[in-house]
């Protein structure tokens, strides 16, 4: 029987998830649900954002972009201890409400934690997600669906290792690329708020050579945001800047502002700090075979980081949004762990 495995990567910026068929990405924010007098899809046909709404213990939450647009009070947590205890559960259950159609089948989860919190929180997170979750999913029309989801097993991985697992394992969860099982690979995962560094040594996580810094892409985006405030007086939320930076321009009250110069300068500066940290944290690891750059911020910064890195980089496959490589790896790791228990080569990773 096919296992019901879901990989979930809860980042400060975005929650990413997959059940092996579809991907779900939404902003890691949630807020109090409000009653719509006029449902927004009255006028809004272009928007195909997911309606993610759940009720837990009598409280109703909008999750992701929906809360950004509709909730009056929103949680946008940057504090990791709080993030694990309160936010992760809501974000994870909202994710399950999207994927689980038939709650009579048990689910198995692979989730990632940032390197800096892995050791401290992995048990807490696993415990919180394990077991039966009774809650209500509410759709865009206000219809309610009671769910009673049984999570039978949870594995927690250090976040950036998802990208290594993605390259090491096939879509069936079997090892396909021996290089990733035998080599020493450094991973730089540039997220929204943090950058994680870690080493996968023969497919095992090495705590030495691991580091979390606050140099996520938001550092560069805040600079760009400040500049925008100076020039046109608006306070733009930094997580809205991705498209603008990508396009090199932003329209404010009808007027276009060129962002190319400031973006390039801010991104280069951040990339350089990230590369310097990598060179430093791996200064004794001269035997690293290659380095991978991943995470949504990696998509923007990889070319600049590479220039300044000591070592060879493995280009990330361009077949998928950079934000999703970790979570695709989690899913494959779930397949590897639960569908072929007789194989033991990689279990070291599972038990760290
Ligand atoms: N298609 C996209 N839409 C929006 N942002 C994108 C996209 N592709 C890349 N990005 C970049 O990805 C960043 C978020 O990356 P990612 O999802 O890896 O971060 P995170 O895991 O949520 O953060 P952290 O690792 O700090 O917890 C955004 O800030 C943006 O710069
Ligand atoms: Mg991340």
């Amino acid at each position: 029987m096919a296992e019901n495995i879901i990989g979930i990567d809860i980042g400060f910026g975005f929650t990413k998830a997959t059940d092996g068929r579809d991907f779900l990405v939404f902003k890691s924010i949630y807020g109090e649900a409000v009653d719509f007098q006029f449902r927004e899809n009255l006028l809004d046909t272009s928007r195909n954002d997911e309606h993610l709404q759940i009720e837990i213990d009598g409280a109703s939450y909008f999750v992701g972009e929906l809360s950004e647009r509709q909730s009056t009070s929103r949680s946008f947590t940057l504090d990791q201890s709080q993030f694990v205890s309160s936010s992760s559960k809501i974000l994870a259950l909202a994710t399950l409400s999207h994927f689980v159609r038939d709650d009579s089948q048990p689910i198995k989860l692979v989730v990632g934690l940032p390197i800096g919190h892995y050791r401290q929180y992995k048990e807490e997170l696993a415990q919180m997600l394990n077991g039966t979750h009774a809650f209500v999913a509410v759709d865009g029309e206000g219809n309610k669906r009671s769910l009673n989801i049984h999570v039978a097993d949870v594995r927690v991985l250090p976040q950036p290792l998802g990208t290594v697992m993605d390259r090491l394992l096939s879509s069936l969860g079997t090892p396909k690329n021996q290089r990733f099982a035998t080599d020493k690979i450094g991973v730089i995962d540039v997220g929204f708020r943090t950058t994680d560094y870690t080493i996968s040594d023969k497919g095992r996580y090495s705590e030495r050579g691991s580091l979390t810094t606050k140099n996520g892409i938001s550092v560069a985006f805040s600079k760009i945001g400040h500049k925008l405030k100076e020039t046109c007086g608006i306070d733009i939320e930094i997580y809205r800047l991705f498209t603008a930076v990508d396009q090199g321009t932003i329209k404010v009250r009808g007027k276009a502002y060129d962002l190319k110069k400031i973006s390039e300068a801010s991104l280069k500066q951040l990339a350089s700090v990230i590369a310097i940290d990598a060179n430093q944290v791996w200064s004794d690891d001269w035997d690293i075979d290659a380095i991978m750059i991943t995470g949504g911020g990696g998509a923007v910064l990889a070319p600049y980081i590479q220039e300044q890195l000591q070592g060879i980089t493995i280009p990330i496959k361009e077949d998928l949004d950079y934000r999703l490589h970790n979570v695709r790896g989690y899913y494959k790791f779930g397949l590897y762990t639960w569908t072929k228990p007789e194989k033991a080569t990689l279990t070291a990773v599972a038990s760290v």
Side-chain angles (χ1 to χ4, degrees):
M1 188 206 78
E3 295 280 351
N4 290 299
I5 296 168
I6 299 177
I8 312 181
D9 181 5
I10 305 174
F12 286 119
F14 296 86
T15 297
K16 286 81 60 176
T18 183
D19 64 350
R21 288 177 287 272
D22 298 315
F23 287 99
L24 175 69
V25 185
F26 59 88
K27 282 182 186 150
S28 295
I29 47 180
Y30 63 90
E32 220 175 291
V34 291
D35 266 333
F36 303 138
Q37 288 293 342
F38 303 98
R39 298 208 168 263
E40 59 182 315
N41 52 11
L42 270 184
L43 280 178
D44 199 351
T45 47
S46 61
R47 207 164 231 143
N48 49 13
D49 284 353
E50 187 81 18
H51 181 102
L52 282 176
Q53 182 181 355
I54 54 172
E55 292 177 7
I56 315 172
D57 303 329
S60 192
Y61 302 97
F62 285 156
V63 180
E65 283 76 358
L66 182 61
S67 86
E68 184 184 7
R69 279 180 281 124
Q70 301 288 355
S71 297
T72 38
S73 67
R74 293 194 299 258
S75 279
F76 174 60
T77 312
L78 295 172
D79 171 50
Q80 183 69 28
S81 53
Q82 213 191 323
F83 196 65
V84 171
S85 54
S86 54
S87 311
S88 311
K89 187 162 177 181
I90 293 170
L91 300 172
L93 293 185
T95 303
L96 294 184
S97 78
H98 169 90
F99 284 108
V100 176
R101 295 287 136 228
D102 169 13
D103 63 2
S104 66
Q105 300 289 324
I107 305 284
K108 292 179 175 174
L109 296 180
V110 182
V111 286
L113 267 181
I115 293 295
H117 305 93
Y118 179 69
R119 203 193 254 275
Q120 193 181 353
Y121 293 107
K122 67 175 176 169
E123 250 109 60
E124 190 185 328
L125 183 64
Q127 256 175 30
M128 193 174 73
L129 296 175
N130 240 318
T132 302
H133 303 280
F135 64 103
V136 174
V138 186
D139 73 12
E141 267 84 55
N143 303 313
K144 296 189 177 184
R145 185 164 65 102
S146 287
L147 287 164
N148 203 35
I149 296 178
H150 181 60
V151 176
D153 207 347
V154 181
R155 291 296 157 109
V156 183
L157 287 182
Q159 258 168 9
L161 282 200
T163 295
V164 176
M165 292 301 148
D166 186 40
R167 290 295 285 269
L168 166 61
L169 301 171
S170 75
S171 55
L172 300 173
T174 48
K176 61 157 187 193
N177 195 334
Q178 276 314 312
R179 154 158 217 199
F180 292 89
T182 54
D183 284 7
K184 185 165 174 179
I185 313 266
V187 191
I188 304 177
D189 179 347
V190 187
F192 178 66
R193 178 65 49 177
T194 58
T195 288
D196 279 347
Y197 302 81
T198 195
I199 288 178
S200 155
D201 194 359
K202 303 186 178 61
R204 277 164 162 265
Y205 164 58
S206 145
E207 200 161 277
R208 203 175 65 90
S210 292
L211 172 76
T212 298
T213 71
K214 295 219 161 72
N215 295 317
I217 199 81
S218 60
V219 169
F221 283 13
S222 314
K223 278 214 182 102
I224 301 167
H226 278 133
K227 187 79 185 181
L228 264 174
K229 175 143 195 178
E230 268 169 43
T231 35
C232 53
I234 57 148
D235 247 326
I236 183 154
E237 283 159 303
I238 44 178
Y239 49 81
R240 298 191 171 198
L241 275 173
F242 178 75
T243 321
V245 168
D246 196 40
Q247 293 169 350
T249 171
I250 190 166
K251 250 185 174 176
V252 177
R253 300 199 178 91
K255 188 167 168 224
Y257 291 84
D258 188 354
L259 289 180
K260 286 193 202 80
K261 236 165 112 192
I262 175 72
S263 302
E264 171 128 348
S266 318
L267 295 175
K268 266 196 165 148
Q269 197 178 19
L270 173 63
S272 153
V273 175
I274 292 174
I276 289 169
D277 283 345
N279 295 336
Q280 175 94 41
V281 69
W282 296 331
S283 57
D284 292 334
D285 298 282
W286 47 264
D287 54 344
I288 279 190
D289 293 290
I291 296 167
M292 299 174 90
I293 300 170
T294 186
V300 189
L301 293 184
Y304 304 120
I305 298 176
Q306 262 167 33
E307 286 170 12
Q308 299 178 58
L309 268 187
Q310 288 161 6
I312 299 166
T313 48
I314 303 176
I316 290 271
K317 282 206 182 131
E318 302 280 346
D319 64 333
L320 191 68
D321 183 329
Y322 262 54
R323 292 173 298 172
L324 300 175
H325 288 265
N326 279 333
V327 79
R328 186 166 65 182
Y330 299 166
Y331 174 77
K332 290 181 181 177
F333 183 71
L335 284 177
Y336 173 86
T337 308
W338 290 307
T339 59
K340 308 256 168 40
E342 73 276 11
K343 290 185 291 91
T345 8
L346 279 180
T347 42
V349 176
S351 59
V352 285

